[in-house]
Amino acid sequence: MAVDEFGRELPPTAAALPERPPSPHQNHRRRPRSNSHRDRGRSSVSPSPSSYHRSGRRRERVDSRDVGRDDDDFHRPRSHSRDNVEGKKRRHPSEKYADQPLLCQYVWEQQLQRQHRAEHHADDKDDSASDQDKSPPPLFASPEEAATQYSDYNSKYCLNYVRTFFNAHLDDAWFRLRLSPLVQYRHAANEKSRANAEATEFRKEILHSLEESNLGVIPKKDPDCPDYLGPPKCSFVSSCRLGVGTKPTSFSAHRTQPSRYDAYDDGYVLQGEDRNRIERHAKSHLHSFIKTDACIKIGDVPPHVTDDMISNAVLRYCPERKEVSVWSGEVSIKDIDEETSKPYHRTVFCSFPSRDAKEAMLDKLNRYDEDHGGVRRRSSKMPRFLELEVDCTDVYGRREIDADGSGGAPPGKGKNVGIPPKLCQVMVYTGSLTSQQPVSVLSAAVSSRERIKKDRDSVTTLASTLDEVREITRGNRLADLLRLLFPSEVEWAAVDDEDVLDVSIAYLRRVHLFSFYNGCTMAKSVGSVLTYSHPVGTIHLRLRNADEILKKMAEERGRAIIEGVAEAMEEDDVSGNNAGGAKDMLVMRLNDSIAKALEYVRKMGERGPGCLIDEETDAAARQIESAERQAKIAWLENHGMIDEDGRARCSFHWCKKLFKDKAFLQKHLLKKHSDHLRAECAKCHDQSMMIAWDNDENRPVPPVLVDCGAKFGNVSSAVVGSHTPIANDPEPKLWREEEERMAEEERRRQEQEEEERLAEEERQRAELRRQEALAGEKRKGNYVDVDDMVEEKVELKLDDVAVVPPAKKKKKKKLL
């Protein structure tokens, strides 16, 4: 059997697949009744797996979803989707990677049996009629053998499915970040640089706040700040305080959606939680570019668009063309289902050096949309969304253009062959991102003053270890910044532990993307924090006056115990659970998270600052980087031709430019044909990515469609497993549920019939009792007691009395 470049066996092509005969009209193996609805119209699909190499044409499949048709009606083209009507239902995401759905075991066995019978009758067509009436031998020796062969078919189908997905997303930025060690290593290095830059901004904010305090500016205390905290030393400390949370005034909070042409600085309004909004508290917990409103959000970015493409598109509208930073959010993999219209799209954030640079870029983009896009604005205000055109030409140039690896033209194509340009439209959100930062209020148990001292020690330990691992510049680390805020020993001893804790939590969130109160988790990219898809994106406020609330709850609990829960306390003492010493569940979870985070950070510290990810990933990244350097040298050598006079010529068949020497040629190749060099370097990642893809147990692939027959149609099933992927057959479970439903309906029908029978019997008995009562009354009415006094009443009814009209008088005739 043929194998691919990774040594895997390739399945047979579409031409080698057997023809699909019509579906059977036979009884189900589990239900012998001939009128079972499960037997009707079983879908017939080939038991062979789909081809690994996808083709543009759909192979014809047969459809037996309807009952009562002729055999000729079964052979007609049918689409992969359950719904053949255009526009009524979106395509399932799996249809992009598989031409036909997977078969459940029952449909698969019926299809094989039909093929087996057809082959048997074809071999015996020259025999006598008696021989033709003989049934063919059984296809499987035992049910176990049938289950084994179906498992092989299922595994081959899923293997081809995940291979096709791998080939389709091989060059996507999110896919390479997930699988390529070198891309992960470079991403970690960029994140390390960002952390140092954010620490520098953190220090600048502290220095600016201290300068204001030295000039006599009195920092304003937050009105929601608890009374036990004194006036803050500076405005930075005041904006770091988290113990200002209040309970929401309404549990039905919702965001009001403004119109497209509202002012871009209005933001969203979260009703019912206005006192906890980020505009009122904890502004120093925001990243520097969010706090200064120097960042824009770009949504609906396709997976094949890279961050560099977004950066180049934004720089075209920057007047000064200053450097901008681009961060991508996480791809929404969990929500991939048949209702997802644009799977694997993401949100990108672009930060500018200042707010003025951002405003200038948006203004220029708005004027371009009005002049070239034909967009008519209803007002002079900046629209909430703008369209940005991005050049998304294949970044890796994986085309059949460089036929021989030395710039040669492909056979049958002309000289002017290049990578075709490709453009896409993305949406730029022009509003402020400051008001969109989510805020949550912690419980009273987590917000109590008893935890402050212990949490402060844990936070400072985490920050010091992370500063060492990420090599934060001396003077910008948390310990140095705390000494900058509180320089003298007297001041350090007098400072409240809560202020130190809040400043440390703000430092961890901004510099190391670490959330202390939300599971002690750490994000890998600032884009994940800004899209709120990661727990670090939420800023947690402690509940103010939490100790008073806990004291009140303890008093109420004590009164409840005194009033009558002594038995429950005795049972808790017997079982070893003391109600008085029981901890809040949220407190226990936080303590466990802190312990795990301290252990994780300790292991990071043991690896040292030279290890960005782990030893294995870093070693693989260095190997790929070395392979890229060698590939670059070989590519430059293969795409240059040296003439006899020493001049160099570009070997690409559509270029052929001549240069003075080899050095100028190499500059030309790196500047004009860098896309082909990227394609050559990208091949160095393929092997490592395939190995990581094979070992991945949680692949981000959409669920496959399983054809479960006419009764259930196509049902989604997740693909699980690493080296041997497989999809669970949902048909047996669906059939059991259907049988249970039918049994329940039968039980209800019998109960209804029994109730109707009992009601009919009761009605008959009542009718019999009524007739007997009437007969008794009749016998009683035949006896007349002469001594019985009967009061006779005479009733006059004048309604029906006919009143005779008076006779008309005859008129006398006058004599003439």
Side-chain angles (χ1 to χ4, degrees):
M1 180 177 291
V3 297
D4 60 1
E5 56 180 327
F6 302 109
R8 294 184 175 275
E9 293 183 354
L10 294 177
T13 59
L17 294 176
E19 185 182 357
R20 298 182 176 186
S23 299
H25 289 278
Q26 297 180 359
N27 298 335
H28 194 276
R29 55 188 175 186
R30 300 175 189 172
R31 293 184 62 86
R33 299 193 314 177
S34 60
N35 58 350
S36 174
H37 63 273
R38 191 185 185 189
D39 314 326
R40 303 173 185 172
R42 280 286 183 176
S43 173
S44 66
V45 189
S46 172
S48 301
S50 62
S51 176
Y52 175 57
H53 301 286
R54 296 161 53 207
S55 60
R57 295 181 56 191
R58 292 183 180 271
R59 289 176 292 174
E60 289 190 356
R61 59 165 293 171
V62 292
D63 189 351
S64 60
R65 302 285 175 175
D66 300 330
V67 183
R69 296 182 298 179
D70 297 333
D71 292 340
D72 295 337
D73 296 334
F74 288 114
H75 298 277
R76 66 176 180 84
R78 182 180 176 274
S79 66
H80 179 89
S81 175
R82 280 175 284 181
D83 194 17
N84 294 333
V85 182
E86 280 291 329
K88 282 193 173 182
K89 199 168 186 178
R90 298 192 185 104
R91 293 183 60 195
H92 194 274
S94 64
E95 298 183 46
K96 184 178 179 181
Y97 316 106
D99 292 335
Q100 296 167 350
L102 178 69
L103 303 181
C104 69
Q105 185 174 355
Y106 174 75
V107 176
W108 177 77
E109 289 182 5
Q110 293 295 317
Q111 177 64 30
L112 287 182
Q113 291 175 3
R114 187 178 304 106
Q115 294 179 2
H116 183 57
R117 287 195 299 268
E119 293 174 358
H120 178 75
H121 292 307
D123 295 339
D124 298 341
K125 60 182 180 179
D126 297 332
D127 298 342
S128 59
S130 60
D131 294 336
Q132 293 184 9
D133 294 339
K134 294 181 180 178
S135 60
L139 188 61
F140 303 108
S142 61
E144 291 77 12
E145 181 182 355
T148 303
Q149 293 191 18
Y150 176 76
S151 179
D152 295 340
Y153 154 71
N154 192 328
S155 179
K156 289 180 180 179
Y157 181 94
C158 295
L159 182 60
N160 294 329
Y161 181 74
V162 298
R163 282 179 179 178
T164 306
F165 184 91
F166 179 85
N167 293 337
H169 296 276
L170 180 60
D171 294 335
D172 291 352
W174 70 273
F175 199 67
R176 300 183 73 83
L177 179 60
R178 181 186 181 93
L179 299 178
S180 175
L182 182 56
V183 176
Q184 295 175 3
Y185 185 87
R186 290 172 177 170
H187 178 79
N190 295 335
E191 182 57 33
K192 185 177 178 180
S193 301
R194 185 214 59 83
N196 276 277
E198 189 66 28
T200 303
E201 294 295 330
F202 201 88
R203 178 183 176 85
K204 290 180 180 179
E205 293 179 14
I206 293 177
L207 291 175
H208 180 72
S209 178
L210 291 176
E211 289 177 0
E212 289 182 347
S213 299
N214 295 334
L215 293 175
V217 178
I218 301 176
K220 184 178 180 180
K221 184 179 179 180
D222 195 322
D224 292 331
C225 187
D227 299 333
Y228 56 79
L229 286 178
K233 180 180 179 180
C234 58
S235 59
F236 183 83
V237 176
S238 176
S239 60
C240 281
R241 288 180 171 177
L242 296 176
V244 293
T246 56
K247 291 185 177 181
T249 57
S250 174
F251 291 97
S252 60
H254 63 278
R255 294 187 183 274
T256 58
Q257 297 288 346
S259 65
R260 175 185 172 93
Y261 295 94
D262 287 345
Y264 60 83
D265 55 351
D266 290 343
Y268 292 103
V269 178
L270 187 61
Q271 298 181 356
E273 294 187 0
D274 292 344
R275 295 181 63 84
N276 297 324
R277 294 180 65 190
I278 197 64
E279 291 87 345
R280 296 174 55 92
H281 317 294
K283 289 184 178 180
S284 293
H285 290 257
L286 299 174
H287 292 83
S288 57
F289 48 86
I290 296 295
K291 187 177 180 180
T292 58
D293 194 16
C295 183
I296 60 173
K297 181 173 68 173
I298 303 175
D300 198 18
V301 179
H304 59 271
V305 177
T306 63
D307 293 348
D308 293 337
M309 295 177 181
I310 296 293
S311 178
N312 295 332
V314 171
L315 285 175
R316 289 202 306 268
Y317 300 96
C318 293
E320 300 179 1
R321 296 189 67 86
K322 294 183 178 180
E323 184 179 357
V324 296
S325 300
V326 178
W327 298 288
S328 291
E330 294 182 356
V331 176
S332 57
I333 298 175
K334 298 181 180 179
D335 301 332
I336 297 175
D337 52 14
E338 59 181 288
E339 300 299 330
T340 304
S341 58
K342 295 180 180 179
Y344 306 107
H345 282 52
R346 69 187 190 278
T347 302
V348 175
F349 296 86
C350 184
S351 67
F352 297 83
S354 62
R355 180 177 179 178
D356 295 336
K358 167 198 163 184
E359 298 292 343
M361 179 266 171
L362 292 177
D363 185 63
K364 188 174 181 180
L365 178 60
N366 184 28
R367 293 198 306 268
Y368 179 84
D369 287 351
E370 290 180 350
D371 297 340
H372 298 81
V375 181
R376 296 182 179 179
R377 310 298 186 195
R378 292 183 296 180
S379 64
S380 60
K381 294 182 179 180
M382 177 75 71
R384 185 161 295 274
F385 294 100
L386 294 174
E387 292 184 356
L388 177 65
E389 189 176 66
V390 181
D391 182 7
C392 56
T393 304
D394 191 0
V395 66
Y396 295 107
R398 294 178 186 257
R399 307 280 182 175
E400 296 297 334
I401 298 175
D402 191 359
D404 55 358
S406 299
K413 294 188 178 180
K415 295 183 178 180
N416 298 326
V417 179
I419 299 176
K422 186 177 181 181
L423 301 175
C424 71
Q425 300 286 340
V426 295
M427 303 303 297
V428 178
Y429 174 72
T430 62
S432 175
L433 302 180
T434 304
S435 59
Q436 297 187 16
Q437 300 297 308
V439 179
S440 177
V441 181
L442 299 170
S443 65
V446 179
S447 306
S448 63
R449 290 277 294 176
E450 299 177 357
R451 295 190 53 88
I452 298 298
K453 175 65 176 175
K454 182 179 179 181
D455 291 347
R456 168 195 166 180
D457 298 338
S458 301
V459 168
T460 52
T461 302
L462 291 169
S464 61
T465 308
L466 290 174
D467 288 343
E468 290 288 342
V469 172
R470 294 198 169 185
E471 297 180 333
I472 302 299
T473 307
R474 294 287 181 178
N476 295 340
R477 299 184 178 183
L478 178 62
D480 302 330
L481 297 177
L482 291 177
R483 286 299 179 183
L484 181 63
L485 277 172
F486 314 104
S488 63
E489 295 294 337
V490 177
E491 196 172 6
W492 176 257
V495 66
D496 196 286
D497 291 336
E498 189 166 340
D499 286 341
V500 178
L501 173 63
D502 294 343
V503 172
S504 303
I505 290 177
Y507 179 85
L508 281 177
R509 184 182 187 272
R510 292 176 54 176
V511 177
H512 298 294
L513 308 181
F514 187 94
S515 175
F516 182 74
Y517 283 123
N518 202 348
C520 289
T521 55
M522 186 164 55
K524 295 182 180 180
S525 172
V526 69
S528 303
V529 178
L530 299 179
T531 53
Y532 325 130
S533 59
H534 198 276
V536 186
T538 303
I539 298 176
H540 294 270
L541 302 179
R542 289 189 299 274
L543 186 62
R544 65 189 303 267
N545 301 328
D547 294 337
E548 299 178 2
I549 297 175
L550 291 175
K551 183 178 180 181
K552 183 178 179 180
M553 293 172 59
E555 293 176 355
E556 294 178 355
R557 189 183 302 111
R559 287 195 298 268
I561 292 176
I562 294 175
E563 289 175 359
V565 215
E567 295 183 2
M569 292 184 62
E570 293 178 359
E571 292 178 359
D572 291 337
D573 293 337
V574 171
S575 60
N577 299 325
N578 189 1
K583 295 183 179 180
D584 187 86
M585 182 62 67
L586 298 177
V587 175
M588 297 175 61
R589 291 179 180 177
L590 180 59
N591 294 337
D592 294 341
S593 301
I594 293 173
K596 293 179 180 178
L598 289 172
E599 180 65 20
Y600 175 75
V601 171
R602 184 187 64 81
K603 293 181 179 179
M604 291 179 62
E606 291 177 354
R607 291 197 296 264
C611 183
L612 290 182
I613 303 176
D614 54 66
E615 292 83 356
E616 183 180 357
T617 305
D618 291 357
R622 287 190 290 269
Q623 292 179 1
I624 298 175
E625 191 172 15
S626 176
E628 281 189 348
R629 288 194 296 268
Q630 296 176 5
K632 179 179 178 181
I633 295 173
W635 184 83
L636 291 174
E637 291 292 335
N638 295 333
H639 291 80
M641 297 182 297
I642 308 299
D643 295 343
E644 296 179 356
D645 55 356
R647 292 188 297 179
R649 184 181 297 275
C650 179
S651 64
F652 279 102
H653 58 276
W654 68 87
C655 184
K656 298 295 184 180
K657 288 186 178 180
L658 187 63
F659 298 91
K660 181 178 180 181
D661 56 14
K662 190 175 180 180
F664 288 96
L665 172 62
Q666 291 183 357
K667 291 181 181 179
H668 164 77
L669 290 173
L670 295 176
K671 183 178 180 180
K672 297 298 183 180
H673 307 299
S674 59
D675 47 358
H676 297 279
L677 177 58
R678 287 194 298 267
E680 193 69 21
C681 294
K683 297 177 182 178
C684 302
H685 299 248
D686 294 351
Q687 186 70 24
S688 301
M689 292 178 64
M690 174 59 79
I691 294 175
W693 182 248
D694 288 341
N695 296 329
D696 194 351
E697 295 184 357
N698 299 318
R699 296 186 180 92
V701 297
V704 298
L705 287 178
V706 182
D707 191 348
C708 297
K711 179 63 180 178
F712 306 111
N714 293 341
V715 182
S716 299
S717 180
V719 179
V720 296
S722 56
H723 294 282
T724 307
I726 195 170
N728 183 35
D729 185 4
E731 191 264 350
K733 181 179 179 182
L734 293 174
W735 182 241
R736 286 194 299 269
E737 294 176 354
E738 181 67 16
E739 288 180 334
E740 292 176 359
R741 186 189 64 81
M742 294 172 59
E744 180 67 18
E745 291 181 355
E746 182 67 19
R747 184 185 62 80
R748 292 179 180 178
R749 186 185 62 80
Q750 293 178 359
E751 290 179 355
Q752 185 177 0
E753 291 179 355
E754 182 66 17
E755 292 177 357
E756 293 177 355
R757 185 183 63 82
L758 294 177
E760 180 65 21
E761 292 180 355
E762 181 65 24
R763 188 187 63 80
Q764 293 178 0
R765 287 193 294 269
E767 180 67 18
L768 182 60
R769 288 194 298 270
R770 188 182 67 82
Q771 293 180 0
E772 292 177 354
L774 290 177
E777 290 292 336
K778 185 176 181 180
R779 289 192 299 270
K780 182 178 179 181
N782 294 334
Y783 174 73
V784 178
D785 189 0
V786 295
D787 299 329
D788 189 10
M789 298 181 63
V790 179
E791 181 180 0
E792 295 183 357
K793 294 182 179 180
V794 179
E795 182 178 1
L796 297 178
K797 293 184 178 181
L798 303 179
D799 297 339
D800 298 335
V801 177
V803 179
V804 179
K808 294 182 179 181
K809 295 182 179 180
K810 295 181 179 181
K811 294 182 179 181
K812 296 181 179 180
K813 295 182 179 181
K814 295 182 180 182
L815 299 176
L816 296 177

